[in-house]
Amino acid sequence: MTQKVYKYVIVGGGVSAGYAAREFVQQGLKPGELAIFSTEEFAPYERPTLSKAYLFPEGAARLPNFHVCAGSGGTKQPPEWYTEHGIDLYLSTEVKILDVEAKSLTTSAGATYKYETVVVATGATFVRLADSGVPGADAQGIYYLREIDDADKLLAAIKDKKDGPAVVIGGGYIGLELTACLVKNDVKVTMVYPGPHCMPRLFTPELASFYEGYYEAKGVTIVKGPRATEFEKDESGQVKTVKLKDGTTIQADIVVVGVGAKPRLELLKGQVAEEKGGFKVDGFFKTSVPHVYAVGDIAAFPMKIYGDIRRVEHVDHARKSAIQAVQAIKAEEKGETIPEYDYLPYFYSRSFDLSWQFYGDNVGEAVTWGREAAQASSSKFGTYWIKDGKVVGAFLEGGSPEENKAIAKVAKEQPAVSSKDELLSAGLSFATTI
Ligand SMILES: Cc1cc2nc3c(=O)[nH]c(=O)nc-3n(C[C@H](O)[C@H](O)[C@H](O)COP(=O)(O)OP(=O)(O)OC[C@H]3O[C@@H](n4cnc5c(N)ncnc54)[C@H](O)[C@@H]3O)c2cc1C
């Protein structure tokens, strides 16, 4: 039997895959040239929706409304879009083997395909407490979130156990967003996280105290410090309580865990170079092996603005890295070159009626402005990070699109600043007048 050969193959069907497909089409794609393989049963969608509007009790987001590229103001790409453009979309199809020497892949159903160029976009998966041996972590009623399937299971649990209570483990953005969704669904929530405050990798203590105060005012109980060390189940295997290291026991009908993600590296492991926990790529997302590209959460790429190599798990980078890789592939075919990837880190989160954006690097000295006035959700406040006399990072809660653009410009241009007080008194106007 002759094997099907594709000019391009994308392995993974998430955010990067969807944006890469659109870029292939925009650059000129002939029918039958591109195939996408995804373990998910849905065409690529905007994953961040899952911890936000997908879980709302009213007006919830549902497919096809959040297929890529809806999240960045583009056209939605439902499954028909792929058909119309002659793209073979293999859904519910896991790629088990990717052989970069043979330029072939094998699916879990045993089908084998050949390709000329592959873009690997397998993303990340959640870290499971059971993997680190937490007793009882295999109980029913413990939920994680990465894909629609996970979100549907959580929704069913919310409906089933309407009055909770729930324990959310983890104080990162997933924990915070999911807590907000549970509260909107009238579920009583206790958040548990180690460390001094929520979002420790980004928030300063001042920023964190605002968000923690806001959540507490919404009825959320926050337990900081002790880790969850054990889950007790009832006779049916359903979780009943969460035990913390300090001996505290919290009753829980639902447990939601958001303790981090790990990139899915299995397919290329040992075949291409790795760095910083991801696949090492250049400014065009080429791996160490010709015709093999890695994009999105799995790529460790040169962060030109800071002169180092980083791996980033943000949706904005997933979209932009995919576009960059496809442009590089098409340019190479024409014997042309494109500029290297020049990414400005950008991350955002939304919960309740809060919404923040962050651009740049959160290194050096942090200066938080407007925090004293920030009592209500309508308040605006933010943080600048100063390194070597320059502002290198900026965070803003409640900014308008223009104000968010202004803080992005600050992080990109890194203006000099004479003193911390200059930023404190100028606040947002430091950014808007640049
Ligand atoms: C719930 C949630 C909320 C988020 N919210 C935000 C946010 O507010 N802001 C932000 O900046 N970022 C957010 N992120 C992060 C952002 O969604 C990711 O950075 C982005 O989705 C990464 O895109 P990707 O294409 O690399 O991976 P993914 O979108 O995860 O896609 C990977 C795809 O590959 C598939 N796959 C994996 N292995 C195989 C295989 N062997 N064969 C076939 N298919 C395979 C997976 O099933 C999946 O479909 C959020 C993430 C999650 C999980």
mmCIF file of all heavy atoms in Angstrom, residues 274-282 299-304 306-312:
data_model
loop_
_atom_site.group_PDB
_atom_site.id
_atom_site.type_symbol
_atom_site.label_atom_id
_atom_site.label_comp_id
_atom_site.label_asym_id
_atom_site.label_seq_id
_atom_site.Cartn_x
_atom_site.Cartn_y
_atom_site.Cartn_z
ATOM 1 N N GLU A 274 17.713 19.583 23.363
ATOM 2 C CA GLU A 274 16.819 20.184 24.360
ATOM 3 C C GLU A 274 17.555 21.254 25.150
ATOM 4 O O GLU A 274 18.781 21.214 25.271
ATOM 5 C CB GLU A 274 16.326 19.114 25.341
ATOM 6 C CG GLU A 274 15.294 18.192 24.748
ATOM 7 C CD GLU A 274 14.765 17.182 25.761
ATOM 8 O OE1 GLU A 274 14.597 17.537 26.931
ATOM 9 O OE2 GLU A 274 14.536 16.030 25.349
ATOM 10 N N GLU A 275 16.809 22.188 25.665
ATOM 11 C CA GLU A 275 17.377 23.199 26.567
ATOM 12 C C GLU A 275 16.248 23.790 27.413
ATOM 13 O O GLU A 275 15.110 23.881 26.945
ATOM 14 C CB GLU A 275 18.063 24.306 25.753
ATOM 15 C CG GLU A 275 18.903 25.201 26.638
ATOM 16 C CD GLU A 275 19.894 26.070 25.867
ATOM 17 O OE1 GLU A 275 20.221 25.769 24.718
ATOM 18 O OE2 GLU A 275 20.325 27.085 26.460
ATOM 19 N N LYS A 276 16.587 24.165 28.639
ATOM 20 C CA LYS A 276 15.603 24.802 29.532
ATOM 21 C C LYS A 276 14.262 24.066 29.567
ATOM 22 O O LYS A 276 13.186 24.673 29.545
ATOM 23 C CB LYS A 276 15.372 26.245 29.099
ATOM 24 C CG LYS A 276 16.638 27.097 29.128
ATOM 25 C CD LYS A 276 16.499 28.231 30.104
ATOM 26 C CE LYS A 276 17.810 28.899 30.386
ATOM 27 N NZ LYS A 276 17.887 30.275 30.032
ATOM 28 N N GLY A 277 14.329 22.749 29.546
ATOM 29 C CA GLY A 277 13.107 21.959 29.673
ATOM 30 C C GLY A 277 12.239 21.930 28.435
ATOM 31 O O GLY A 277 11.070 21.538 28.486
ATOM 32 N N GLY A 278 12.784 22.360 27.300
ATOM 33 C CA GLY A 278 12.003 22.320 26.057
ATOM 34 C C GLY A 278 12.910 21.955 24.896
ATOM 35 O O GLY A 278 14.087 21.618 25.094
ATOM 36 N N PHE A 279 12.363 21.998 23.679
ATOM 37 C CA PHE A 279 13.183 21.721 22.501
ATOM 38 C C PHE A 279 13.868 23.002 22.060
ATOM 39 O O PHE A 279 13.210 24.028 21.862
ATOM 40 C CB PHE A 279 12.328 21.147 21.369
ATOM 41 C CG PHE A 279 11.741 19.817 21.727
ATOM 42 C CD1 PHE A 279 10.380 19.597 21.677
ATOM 43 C CD2 PHE A 279 12.567 18.781 22.150
ATOM 44 C CE1 PHE A 279 9.849 18.371 22.034
ATOM 45 C CE2 PHE A 279 12.044 17.543 22.511
ATOM 46 C CZ PHE A 279 10.682 17.346 22.447
ATOM 47 N N LYS A 280 15.178 22.906 21.912
ATOM 48 C CA LYS A 280 15.960 24.088 21.558
ATOM 49 C C LYS A 280 15.690 24.453 20.089
ATOM 50 O O LYS A 280 15.868 23.613 19.197
ATOM 51 C CB LYS A 280 17.442 23.781 21.763
ATOM 52 C CG LYS A 280 18.300 24.989 21.604
ATOM 53 C CD LYS A 280 19.744 24.672 21.819
ATOM 54 C CE LYS A 280 20.535 25.940 21.570
ATOM 55 N NZ LYS A 280 21.955 25.722 21.595
ATOM 56 N N VAL A 281 15.256 25.682 19.874
ATOM 57 C CA VAL A 281 15.010 26.146 18.503
ATOM 58 C C VAL A 281 15.762 27.456 18.271
ATOM 59 O O VAL A 281 16.195 28.112 19.221
ATOM 60 C CB VAL A 281 13.496 26.377 18.248
ATOM 61 C CG1 VAL A 281 12.715 25.084 18.296
ATOM 62 C CG2 VAL A 281 12.923 27.394 19.233
ATOM 63 N N ASP A 282 15.877 27.833 16.998
ATOM 64 C CA ASP A 282 16.489 29.126 16.691
ATOM 65 C C ASP A 282 15.388 30.191 16.546
ATOM 66 O O ASP A 282 14.222 29.922 16.874
ATOM 67 C CB ASP A 282 17.374 29.016 15.432
ATOM 68 C CG ASP A 282 16.575 28.646 14.191
ATOM 69 O OD1 ASP A 282 15.325 28.682 14.240
ATOM 70 O OD2 ASP A 282 17.195 28.311 13.162
ATOM 71 N N ALA A 299 8.708 24.920 22.964
ATOM 72 C CA ALA A 299 9.914 25.491 22.337
ATOM 73 C C ALA A 299 10.733 26.328 23.314
ATOM 74 O O ALA A 299 10.193 27.188 24.016
ATOM 75 C CB ALA A 299 9.492 26.357 21.148
ATOM 76 N N ALA A 300 12.031 26.084 23.358
ATOM 77 C CA ALA A 300 12.953 26.941 24.114
ATOM 78 C C ALA A 300 13.655 27.806 23.067
ATOM 79 O O ALA A 300 14.458 27.298 22.295
ATOM 80 C CB ALA A 300 13.941 26.095 24.898
ATOM 81 N N PHE A 301 13.305 29.050 23.012
ATOM 82 C CA PHE A 301 13.707 29.913 21.892
ATOM 83 C C PHE A 301 14.570 31.083 22.357
ATOM 84 O O PHE A 301 14.527 31.458 23.530
ATOM 85 C CB PHE A 301 12.459 30.437 21.160
ATOM 86 C CG PHE A 301 11.571 31.279 22.040
ATOM 87 C CD1 PHE A 301 11.667 32.664 22.043
ATOM 88 C CD2 PHE A 301 10.638 30.692 22.880
ATOM 89 C CE1 PHE A 301 10.859 33.442 22.860
ATOM 90 C CE2 PHE A 301 9.818 31.470 23.698
ATOM 91 C CZ PHE A 301 9.935 32.841 23.687
ATOM 92 N N PRO A 302 15.332 31.683 21.440
ATOM 93 C CA PRO A 302 16.133 32.851 21.833
ATOM 94 C C PRO A 302 15.219 34.054 22.083
ATOM 95 O O PRO A 302 14.490 34.466 21.188
ATOM 96 C CB PRO A 302 17.028 33.113 20.615
ATOM 97 C CG PRO A 302 16.793 31.997 19.658
ATOM 98 C CD PRO A 302 15.519 31.321 20.024
ATOM 99 N N MET A 303 15.219 34.528 23.305
ATOM 100 C CA MET A 303 14.435 35.724 23.651
ATOM 101 C C MET A 303 15.350 36.916 23.370
ATOM 102 O O MET A 303 16.152 37.326 24.207
ATOM 103 C CB MET A 303 14.040 35.650 25.125
ATOM 104 C CG MET A 303 13.125 36.740 25.573
ATOM 105 S SD MET A 303 11.415 36.506 25.078
ATOM 106 C CE MET A 303 10.783 35.510 26.417
ATOM 107 N N LYS A 304 15.226 37.396 22.132
ATOM 108 C CA LYS A 304 16.162 38.404 21.612
ATOM 109 C C LYS A 304 16.289 39.618 22.540
ATOM 110 O O LYS A 304 17.403 40.090 22.818
ATOM 111 C CB LYS A 304 15.641 38.854 20.238
ATOM 112 C CG LYS A 304 16.691 39.431 19.348
ATOM 113 C CD LYS A 304 16.127 39.619 17.962
ATOM 114 C CE LYS A 304 17.093 40.416 17.125
ATOM 115 N NZ LYS A 304 16.501 40.812 15.851
ATOM 116 N N TYR A 306 16.130 39.960 25.649
ATOM 117 C CA TYR A 306 16.922 39.770 26.876
ATOM 118 C C TYR A 306 18.201 38.969 26.641
ATOM 119 O O TYR A 306 18.948 38.703 27.584
ATOM 120 C CB TYR A 306 16.071 39.080 27.958
ATOM 121 C CG TYR A 306 14.774 39.805 28.208
ATOM 122 C CD1 TYR A 306 13.553 39.160 28.156
ATOM 123 C CD2 TYR A 306 14.767 41.188 28.458
ATOM 124 C CE1 TYR A 306 12.359 39.853 28.342
ATOM 125 C CE2 TYR A 306 13.584 41.888 28.641
ATOM 126 C CZ TYR A 306 12.386 41.208 28.570
ATOM 127 O OH TYR A 306 11.216 41.894 28.747
ATOM 128 N N GLY A 307 18.425 38.541 25.413
ATOM 129 C CA GLY A 307 19.664 37.830 25.089
ATOM 130 C C GLY A 307 19.798 36.491 25.787
ATOM 131 O O GLY A 307 20.915 36.071 26.117
ATOM 132 N N ASP A 308 18.683 35.815 26.041
ATOM 133 C CA ASP A 308 18.794 34.473 26.630
ATOM 134 C C ASP A 308 17.789 33.517 25.977
ATOM 135 O O ASP A 308 17.077 33.893 25.055
ATOM 136 C CB ASP A 308 18.633 34.513 28.167
ATOM 137 C CG ASP A 308 17.305 35.127 28.596
ATOM 138 O OD1 ASP A 308 16.450 35.355 27.726
ATOM 139 O OD2 ASP A 308 17.126 35.374 29.806
ATOM 140 N N ILE A 309 17.813 32.285 26.444
ATOM 141 C CA ILE A 309 16.904 31.269 25.887
ATOM 142 C C ILE A 309 15.782 31.043 26.899
ATOM 143 O O ILE A 309 16.055 30.854 28.088
ATOM 144 C CB ILE A 309 17.654 29.921 25.688
ATOM 145 C CG1 ILE A 309 18.895 30.093 24.825
ATOM 146 C CG2 ILE A 309 16.731 28.818 25.179
ATOM 147 C CD1 ILE A 309 18.652 30.118 23.350
ATOM 148 N N ARG A 310 14.557 31.058 26.429
ATOM 149 C CA ARG A 310 13.438 30.836 27.363
ATOM 150 C C ARG A 310 12.363 29.956 26.752
ATOM 151 O O ARG A 310 12.240 29.876 25.534
ATOM 152 C CB ARG A 310 12.780 32.166 27.759
ATOM 153 C CG ARG A 310 13.706 33.045 28.543
ATOM 154 C CD ARG A 310 12.981 34.197 29.169
ATOM 155 N NE ARG A 310 13.941 35.149 29.684
ATOM 156 C CZ ARG A 310 13.630 36.274 30.273
ATOM 157 N NH1 ARG A 310 12.363 36.604 30.426
ATOM 158 N NH2 ARG A 310 14.569 37.087 30.720
ATOM 159 N N ARG A 311 11.610 29.346 27.620
ATOM 160 C CA ARG A 311 10.417 28.600 27.222
ATOM 161 C C ARG A 311 9.239 29.310 27.872
ATOM 162 O O ARG A 311 9.309 29.681 29.041
ATOM 163 C CB ARG A 311 10.521 27.158 27.730
ATOM 164 C CG ARG A 311 9.601 26.206 27.020
ATOM 165 C CD ARG A 311 9.831 24.786 27.498
ATOM 166 N NE ARG A 311 9.545 24.642 28.908
ATOM 167 C CZ ARG A 311 8.319 24.592 29.419
ATOM 168 N NH1 ARG A 311 7.270 24.670 28.642
ATOM 169 N NH2 ARG A 311 8.138 24.469 30.723
ATOM 170 N N VAL A 312 8.196 29.557 27.101
ATOM 171 C CA VAL A 312 7.101 30.387 27.594
ATOM 172 C C VAL A 312 5.775 29.651 27.382
ATOM 173 O O VAL A 312 5.515 29.157 26.291
ATOM 174 C CB VAL A 312 7.086 31.725 26.803
ATOM 175 C CG1 VAL A 312 5.862 32.536 27.130
ATOM 176 C CG2 VAL A 312 8.347 32.535 27.074
#
